[in-house]
């Protein structure tokens, strides 16, 4: 389900890059706000689907060959991963914002931090099997360093763009 939200990545990069090229910072702020809001809403929808429909969807996928134990583990895995959907969708959109601003370093650092969190979590939670792997992956998506770093860069880029405006324009945008 998360892959169905990746169109936000492409549309975010395109819209933000176009607005930066036009130096339309009012529109940039509005677009960024809309994209983050849409990302949160889509993340919530993915979470609700994972929690509400995962059992029946997995039963359909497994068919007659799915044992009760397999479906129990798979449902738990999907629900744990789905719990981090909001962070995953918002993170993808914000990383695209960074890329549109020609900031490739922040997304690389974010993915490195998430990868390290996931590997350490997988090793530390190995005794819990599939559920441990799901928790490790969800923790990597929720990693405060990854999300705070991405959010911090977005805030700094917007602030920098606002500061580059003439004082009269800045008053109109902020006020």
């Amino acid at each position: 389900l998360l892959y169905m939200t990746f169109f936000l990545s492409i549309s975010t990069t395109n819209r933000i890059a176009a607005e930066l090229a036009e130096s339309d910072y009012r529109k940039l702020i509005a677009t960024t706000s809309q994209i983050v809001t849409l990302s949160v809403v889509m993340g919530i929808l993915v979470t609700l689907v994972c929690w509400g429909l995962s059992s029946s969807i997995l039963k359909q996928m497994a068919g007659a060959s799915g044992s009760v134990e397999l479906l129990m583990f798979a449902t738990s895995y999907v629900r744990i991963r789905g719990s981090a959907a909001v962070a995953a969708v918002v993170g993808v959109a914000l990383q695209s914002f960074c890329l549109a601003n020609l900031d490739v370093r922040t997304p690389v650092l974010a993915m490195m931090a998430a990868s390290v969190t996931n590997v350490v979590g997988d090793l530390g939670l190995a005794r819990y099997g599939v559920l441990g792997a799901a928790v490790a992956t969800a923790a990597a998506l929720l990693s405060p360093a990854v999300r705070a770093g991405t959010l911090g860069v977005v805030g700094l880029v917007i602030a920098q763009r606002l500061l580059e405006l003439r004082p009269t324009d800045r008053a109109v945008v902020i006020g």
Side-chain angles (χ1 to χ4, degrees), residues 141-152:
L141 292 173
L142 297 169
S143 173
V146 173
R147 298 299 165 229
T150 305
L151 290 171

Side-chain angles (χ1 to χ4, degrees), residues 73-93:
F73 280 118
T75 301
S76 296
Y77 182 88
V78 168
R79 287 180 178 168
I80 291 168
R81 287 286 313 274
S83 297
V86 174
V89 176
V90 171
V92 166

Side-chain angles (χ1 to χ4, degrees), residues 110-122 140:
M111 288 301 102
M112 286 173 54
S115 296
V116 168
T117 302
N118 196 12
V119 169
V120 169
D122 282 340

Side-chain angles (χ1 to χ4, degrees), residues 16-142:
I16 298 298
E19 289 160 12
L20 285 170
E22 295 171 4
S23 297
D24 189 348
Y25 301 112
R26 289 183 193 139
K27 199 171 181 182
L28 175 67
I29 292 169
T31 298
T32 303
S33 175
Q34 292 167 359
I35 290 169
V36 170
T37 301
L38 180 60
S39 298
V40 169
V41 169
M42 292 190 72
I44 290 170
L45 289 174
V46 169
T47 299
L48 292 174
V49 168
C50 287
W51 274 89
L53 301 175
S54 61
S55 181
S56 58
I57 291 171
L58 290 168
K59 283 179 188 174
Q60 290 294 322
M61 289 173 63
S65 64
S67 69
V68 174
E69 186 178 50
L70 173 68
L71 290 172
M72 181 187 72
F73 280 118
T75 301
S76 296
Y77 182 88
V78 168
R79 287 180 178 168
I80 291 168
R81 287 286 313 274
S83 297
V86 174
V89 176
V90 171
V92 166
L94 293 178
Q95 288 175 16
S96 295
F97 183 90
C98 292
L99 293 173
N101 282 284
L102 302 178
D103 175 12
V104 295
R105 185 174 183 226
T106 300
V108 168
L109 292 174
M111 288 301 102
M112 286 173 54
S115 296
V116 168
T117 302
N118 196 12
V119 169
V120 169
D122 282 340
L123 295 174
L125 300 171
R127 67 177 173 265
Y128 298 105
V130 173
L131 299 181
V135 169
T137 303
L141 292 173
L142 297 169

